[in-house]
């Protein structure tokens, strides 16, 4: 099988896009030395001595409890786009069938509308402020926190996971406890952002079926992650044709229908292997999707129900076997209407598997089993649970306000510069902020104070929870390769300087610096989305206009300055690019990638001493990163300071890991240096050795073949130059200069026929190539 062990290190290749920033995040809690300071029993209702496993779940099942578990998380799935949640137009027969054989929670919510933090909450039963993963890409789940996979592993389970997005790559820590963690995802040439690389549903399905076959005789836990409903919405056939007429919203439904079809095949495989009766299947989502509601096209910005409410279905053919009197009842769906959270999945699942010890609770979630039993037996009892919700995306990315909130069954409060309070029981679309519409109504001001108090109590509880376990917080990504490549995408991986107080924009701001309210910046977000799309499509002038318009609304947005620097660099307008990169440095002096980019701009402007100055700053900031030393080497080669070039390139080589891109570049540049030293046979042999090592790491490194081709041509060693020019052309067929140079080599080595072919090829690429046309005319005349 293609799978890899969870501990295996993987490399990845990043391309330009996206630019969230600001690793300014307080990691809570004292350092702990134990492997798992949280045994998930910090706050038990009671602790009877010798409490055994709680087997009360048997009352929900016909026969014995299932002992296998399959967790299915479908990325970006809104509950109200499923048939079983009341959507008559949905084509989700597989999910609907699961709901008919199980428990469907009508009010299930995620605490955060971001993939990595929300999945960490599902797998640990902890809120983001406790497990510490507050955004995608930057954070690694601390080993102090025990995952569902680790709990089940301790109970004799074989564990496996197949994830469909790079956001859940094992390097971010969710692989803890998994024997098998498949996260290999090939780069997508149509997407420049690696966080959008995905494994399509049919591939997840194939890997899942193979894993089931290999482990069908074992007690197992399998987590499947489907990414398809995430934007951009591009379902395959036949779903594309079926859903193509309704615009993006319909195509989103098409992606859901496609995922449902894959899920149906997976369930069919379970039936074929006779695994369904003995398997508990839990289906949920990490978050929903805005689809234009509240001005949010996708997710991550706001914490309205459109992006927080998710489906939650727990299914098994033997569920609901008996009623309160003990007589056999018809198996039918349970549909609790009380509020639950995805942090409740871990303890509830363990309860349904009979693995919860009496009197113990797990994580910050609750075991819902007592209320499920009450629901089945038609007793009136339900938990009074509240959801803590947050999004720090705009705080970390743009230095706007963070959003935090509390939701009960009937109310939603959102803490923001302009606070919001909704009666969600009668206003499920959260359209009427009663703090604005009823500012003088009965007890409205007091109501806000009470909700602020609830929120403060929640946050105080998070701190107590962390300290009780003596756990350190999430690890910030500090791997050199990851940090460098995150920064190359625009991520800022160092604390940002404090900004001056902004001009007052709204009353009641929670921050003394009065950060911008994301609600007021919807126009910026829309322009940003359009600009990034134009940039990815290579429409640079249009992208620049979008980004410049954003700066008029938010002049201090260094994310936009960074993007504009890249846009103007690609256009060759290096002076303008320089001004935008320098605007970033005014806020973020220790931003490694911008120091390197400014150095590269000065390189293009042939202001080499200024380039060296910025590369030196980069090397001072991060002396263990090879990029600055490579840049030194390149500048010193151009200025013929070859001894200094070699010294810096050897330093870069020493710092590079075997799987680093930088190692191949260092080796190639060392080869270039040796050729230019022109110390005879020894120098040429060293260059050849460096090039061979570089090509082992990157076989299609065109710069190696181009440098050798030029070198041998300059030495009039045409028989050695020709294969290198041919390799250049094979890698870059539209390179007219390479075609012309190869034609000259053939001509000078006496092969006039080959030379004519190459000069014609050169003219096909560039019809106005005067030298090629002149030489070809003389050859045709027999000269």
């Amino acid at each position: 099988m293609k799978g890899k062990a969870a501990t295996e290190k993987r490399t990845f290749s990043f391309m330009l896009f996206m630019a969230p920033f600001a690793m300014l995040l307080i990691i809570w809690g004292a350092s702990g030395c134990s492997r798992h300071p949280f045994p998930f029993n910090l706050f038990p209702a009671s602790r009877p001595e010798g409490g055994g496993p709680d087997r009360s779940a048997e009352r929900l099942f016909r026969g014995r409890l299932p002992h296998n578990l399959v967790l299915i998380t479908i990325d970006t799935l809104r509950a109200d786009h499923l048939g079983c949640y009341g959507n008559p137009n949905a084509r989700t027969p597989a999910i609907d069938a699961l709901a008919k054989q199980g428990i469907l929670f009508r009010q299930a919510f995620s605490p955060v509308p971001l993939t990595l933090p929300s999945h960490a909450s599902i797998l640990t039963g902890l809120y983001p402020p406790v497990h510490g993963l507050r955004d995608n890409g930057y954070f690694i789940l601390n080993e102090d926190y025990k995952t569902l996979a680790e709990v089940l592993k301790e109970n004799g389970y074989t564990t496996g996971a197949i994830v469909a997005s790079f956001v859940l790559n094992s390097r971010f820590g969710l692989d803890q406890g998994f024997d098998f963690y498949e996260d290999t995802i090939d780069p997508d040439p149509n997407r420049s952002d690696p966080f959008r690389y995905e494994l399509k549903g049919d591939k997840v399905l194939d890997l899942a079926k193979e894993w089931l076959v290999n482990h069908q005789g074992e007690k197992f836990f399998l987590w499947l992650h489907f990414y398809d409903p995430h934007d951009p919405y591009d379902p395959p056939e036949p779903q594309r044709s079926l859903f193509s007429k309704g615009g993006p919203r319909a195509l989103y439904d098409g992606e859901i229908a496609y995922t449902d079809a894959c899920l149906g095949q997976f369930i069919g495989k379970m039936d074929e292997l006779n695994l369904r009766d003995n398997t508990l299947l839990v289906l949920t989502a990490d978050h929903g999707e805005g689809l234009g509601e509240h001005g949010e096209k996708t997710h991550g910005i706001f914490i309205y129900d459109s992006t927080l409410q998710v489906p939650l279905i727990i299914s098994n053919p033997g569920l609901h076997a008996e009623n309160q009197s003990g007589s056999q009842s018809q198996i039918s769906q349970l549909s609790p209407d009380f509020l639950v959270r995805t942090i409740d999945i871990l303890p509830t699942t363990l309860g349904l598997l009979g693995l919860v010890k009496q009197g113990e609770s797990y994580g910050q979630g609750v075991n819902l089993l007592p209320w499920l039993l009450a629901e089945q037996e038609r007793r009136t009892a339900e938990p009074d649970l509240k959801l803590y919700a947050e999004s720090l995306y705009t705080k970390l990315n743009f230095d706007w306000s963070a959003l935090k909130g509390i939701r009960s069954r009937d109310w939603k409060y959102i803490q923001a510069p302009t606070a919001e309070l909704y009666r969600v029981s009668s206003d499920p679309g959260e359209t009427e902020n009663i703090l604005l519409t009823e500012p003088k109504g009965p007890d409205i001001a007091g109501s806000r104070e009470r909700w602020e108090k609830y929120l403060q109590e929640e946050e105080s509880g998070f701190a107590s929870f962390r300290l009780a376990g003596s756990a350190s917080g999430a690890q910030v990504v500090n791997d050199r390769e990851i940090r460098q490549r995150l920064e190359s995408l625009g991520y800022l991986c160092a604390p940002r300087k404090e900004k001056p107080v902004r001009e007052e924009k709204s009353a009641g701001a929670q921050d003394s610096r009065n950060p911008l309210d994301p609600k007021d910046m919807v126009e910026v977000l829309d322009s940003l989305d359009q600009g990034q799309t134009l940039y990815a499509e290579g429409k640079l002038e249009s992208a620049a206009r979008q980004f410049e318009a954003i700066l008029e609304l938010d002049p201090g947005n260094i994310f936009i300055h960074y993007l504009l620097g890249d846009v103007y660099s690609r256009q060759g307008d290096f002076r303008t690019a320089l001004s935008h990169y320098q605007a970033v440095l005014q806020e973020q002096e220790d931003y490694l990638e911008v120091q390197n980019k400014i150095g590269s701009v000065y390189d293009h402007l042939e202001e080499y001493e200024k380039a060296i100055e910025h590369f030196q700053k980069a090397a001072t900031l991060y002396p263990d990163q090879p990029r600055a030393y490579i840049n030194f080497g390149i500048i010193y080669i151009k200025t013929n300071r070859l001894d200094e070039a070699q010294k810096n390139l050897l330093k870069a080589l020493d710092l590079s890991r075997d799987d680093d891109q930088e190692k191949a570049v260092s080796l190639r540049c060392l080869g270039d240096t040796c050729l230019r030293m022109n110390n005879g046979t020894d120098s040429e042999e060293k260059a050849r050795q460096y090039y061979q090592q570089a090509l082992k790491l990157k076989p299609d490194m065109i710069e190696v073949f181009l440098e050798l081709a030029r070198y041998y041509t300059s030495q009039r060693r045409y028989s050695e130059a020709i294969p290198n020019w041919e390799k250049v052309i094979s890698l870059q067929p539209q390179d007219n200069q390479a075609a012309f140079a190869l034609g000259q080599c053939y001509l000078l080595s006496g092969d006039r026929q080959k030379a004519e072919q190459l000069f014609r090829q050169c003219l096909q690429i560039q019809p106005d190539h005067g030298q090629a046309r002149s030489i070809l005319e003389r050859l045709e005349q027999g000269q």
Side-chain angles (χ1 to χ4, degrees), residues 691-727:
Y691 286 145
Q692 288 173 348
Q693 293 178 63
L695 291 173
K696 285 182 180 179
L697 295 172
K698 190 179 178 184
D700 292 339
M701 183 175 270
I702 192 171
E703 295 88 351
V704 170
F705 303 107
L706 185 59
E707 189 67 24
L708 285 171
R710 288 170 174 165
Y711 173 74
Y712 289 130
T713 300
S714 69
Q715 298 289 311
R716 300 182 181 180
R717 293 157 61 179
Y718 304 120
S719 62
E720 294 169 277
I722 285 171
N724 285 286
W725 282 121
E726 288 177 336
K727 184 65 176 179

Side-chain angles (χ1 to χ4, degrees), residues 534-555:
L534 292 166
Y535 180 86
E537 293 173 350
K539 300 175 181 177
L540 301 180
E541 290 184 8
S542 298
R545 285 195 295 270
Q546 287 285 350
F547 295 147
E548 292 284 7
I550 293 174
L551 283 185
E552 293 181 9
L553 296 171
D554 186 15

Side-chain angles (χ1 to χ4, degrees), residues 524-734:
V524 169
L525 293 169
D526 190 53
S527 294
L528 174 61
D529 182 63
Q530 294 178 42
Q532 288 179 320
T533 300
L534 292 166
Y535 180 86
E537 293 173 350
K539 300 175 181 177
L540 301 180
E541 290 184 8
S542 298
R545 285 195 295 270
Q546 287 285 350
F547 295 147
E548 292 284 7
I550 293 174
L551 283 185
E552 293 181 9
L553 296 171
D554 186 15
N557 194 321
I558 64 174
F559 172 12
I560 302 303
H561 280 296
Y562 181 95
L563 288 178
L564 281 167
D566 285 349
V567 168
Y568 288 120
S569 288
R570 286 180 61 182
Q571 290 180 302
D573 186 351
F574 296 112
R575 291 293 177 189
T576 304
L578 185 61
S579 68
H580 286 289
Y581 287 139
Q582 287 172 336
V584 177
L585 285 191
Q586 288 178 7
E587 295 278 345
Q588 189 85 12
E589 293 175 344
D590 51 355
Y591 188 177
L592 171 67
E593 190 62 23
V594 171
Q595 293 286 2
N596 281 323
K597 284 180 179 288
I598 290 177
S600 295
V601 166
Y602 280 125
D603 179 10
H604 283 289
L605 294 171
E606 298 184 0
E607 297 182 33
Y608 297 126
E609 292 307 315
K610 289 184 179 179
I612 289 172
E613 176 186 340
H614 283 276
F615 293 148
Q616 184 59 59
K617 288 180 180 178
T620 302
L621 285 169
Y622 297 99
D624 64 337
Q625 295 220 20
R627 176 76 65 84
Y629 302 101
I630 293 172
N631 289 332
F632 278 137
I634 292 171
I635 293 292
Y636 289 140
I637 289 172
K638 289 183 177 181
T639 55
N640 204 36
R641 296 150 71 176
L642 299 178
D643 288 337
E644 291 177 84
Q646 187 175 58
K647 175 183 175 182
N648 280 278
L649 291 168
L650 287 172
K651 175 75 171 177
L653 186 64
D654 182 59
L655 292 171
S656 299
R657 295 191 305 231
D658 288 342
D659 58 355
D660 273 352
Q661 170 74 11
E662 284 78 8
K663 183 169 185 179
V665 177
S666 301
L667 289 164
R668 188 261 298 176
C669 290
L670 279 165
D672 296 350
T673 304
C674 288
L675 284 185
R676 283 167 172 74
M677 284 181 168
N678 198 22
N679 292 335
T681 305
D682 288 346
S683 181
E684 187 177 314
E685 180 58 30
K686 283 184 180 179
R688 187 179 293 109
Q689 291 174 5
Y690 283 130
Y691 286 145
Q692 288 173 348
Q693 293 178 63
L695 291 173
K696 285 182 180 179
L697 295 172
K698 190 179 178 184
D700 292 339
M701 183 175 270
I702 192 171
E703 295 88 351
V704 170
F705 303 107
L706 185 59
E707 189 67 24
L708 285 171
R710 288 170 174 165
Y711 173 74
Y712 289 130
T713 300
S714 69
Q715 298 289 311
R716 300 182 181 180
R717 293 157 61 179
Y718 304 120
S719 62
E720 294 169 277
I722 285 171
N724 285 286
W725 282 121
E726 288 177 336
K727 184 65 176 179
V728 170
I729 292 173
S730 71
L731 293 172
Q732 203 163 288
Q734 296 302 306

Side-chain angles (χ1 to χ4, degrees), residues 492-525:
L492 302 183
C493 294
R496 186 183 37 76
K497 292 190 303 183
E498 287 292 299
K499 284 188 175 182
V501 176
R502 296 183 188 272
E503 181 181 348
E504 185 90 4
K505 287 190 67 69
S506 60
Q510 301 300 314
D511 191 309
S512 61
R513 293 186 298 116
N514 200 13
L516 293 170
D517 192 321
K519 295 189 294 293
D520 298 331
M521 305 304 289
V522 170
E523 183 180 347
V524 169
L525 293 169

Side-chain angles (χ1 to χ4, degrees), residues 249-528:
R249 196 179 186 99
L251 289 173
Y252 169 71
D253 287 331
E255 292 277 29
I256 294 172
Y258 168 68
T259 305
D260 183 86
C262 293
L263 184 56
Q265 293 183 58
F266 173 75
I267 295 169
K269 187 65 177 181
M270 292 188 68
D271 289 334
E272 177 188 324
L273 298 173
N274 296 314
L275 292 172
R276 279 281 284 128
D277 289 344
N278 202 25
T279 301
L280 189 70
L281 194 149
V282 178
L283 183 144
T284 190
D286 53 351
H287 51 72
E289 188 76 323
L291 298 176
E293 296 176 23
H294 302 280
E296 184 171 27
K297 291 182 178 179
T298 56
H299 58 270
I301 307 298
F302 299 123
I303 54 174
Y304 300 112
D305 284 2
S306 56
T307 59
L308 292 184
Q309 188 163 12
V310 296
L312 177 55
I313 298 167
I314 299 177
S315 181
N316 177 269
L319 272 168
H320 320 148
E322 295 180 354
N323 60 22
Q324 189 175 14
S325 64
S327 62
Q328 188 71 26
S329 64
Q330 183 179 2
I331 297 173
S332 61
Q333 180 190 83
L334 279 182
S335 300
D337 198 35
F338 48 78
L339 183 146
V340 299
R341 301 80 50 91
T342 55
I343 62 170
D344 302 322
I345 291 174
L346 184 150
T348 302
T349 299
L350 294 177
L352 291 169
L353 293 172
L355 298 176
V356 171
K357 293 181 180 180
Q358 294 181 17
E360 291 189 351
S361 60
Y362 289 71
Q364 293 174 284
V366 300
N367 180 1
L368 299 170
L369 182 56
W371 294 281
L372 296 178
L373 290 169
E375 180 89 5
Q376 181 200 38
E377 296 163 1
R378 294 181 173 83
R379 290 184 282 119
T380 57
E382 62 179 54
D384 181 20
L385 299 177
K386 291 182 176 64
L387 170 81
Y388 166 84
E390 70 170 34
S391 176
L392 272 62
Y393 181 83
T394 57
K395 175 64 178 175
L396 297 177
N397 296 348
F398 310 125
D399 194 35
W400 301 344
S401 174
L403 297 176
K404 299 177 183 179
I406 295 287
R407 193 196 194 282
S408 68
R409 176 171 177 166
D410 299 321
W411 293 89
K412 163 82 79 65
Y413 175 73
I414 299 175
Q415 183 190 76
T418 300
E420 301 167 69
L421 181 63
Y422 300 99
R423 291 188 184 94
V424 288
S425 56
S426 59
D427 179 22
E430 296 163 280
T431 60
E432 185 178 347
N433 179 2
I434 65 174
L435 293 179
L436 298 178
T437 60
E438 303 177 26
K440 297 180 181 179
D443 208 27
I444 294 300
S447 178
R448 174 176 177 174
E449 292 174 1
R450 285 197 301 274
W451 285 104
E452 278 290 331
K453 183 179 179 181
Y454 286 147
L455 190 56
Q456 292 170 9
E457 289 173 350
E458 284 285 341
E459 293 182 310
S460 296
F462 299 154
S464 299
F465 200 97
R466 287 187 297 265
L467 292 173
S470 300
S472 55
Q475 299 171 338
V476 177
V477 169
N478 57 12
D479 179 276
R480 187 190 69 224
E481 177 192 10
I482 300 174
R483 285 176 64 89
Q484 179 174 314
R485 298 185 187 212
L486 283 171
E487 287 197 343
S488 72
L489 291 167
Y491 289 82
L492 302 183
C493 294
R496 186 183 37 76
K497 292 190 303 183
E498 287 292 299
K499 284 188 175 182
V501 176
R502 296 183 188 272
E503 181 181 348
E504 185 90 4
K505 287 190 67 69
S506 60
Q510 301 300 314
D511 191 309
S512 61
R513 293 186 298 116
N514 200 13
L516 293 170
D517 192 321
K519 295 189 294 293
D520 298 331
M521 305 304 289
V522 170
E523 183 180 347
V524 169
L525 293 169
D526 190 53
S527 294
L528 174 61

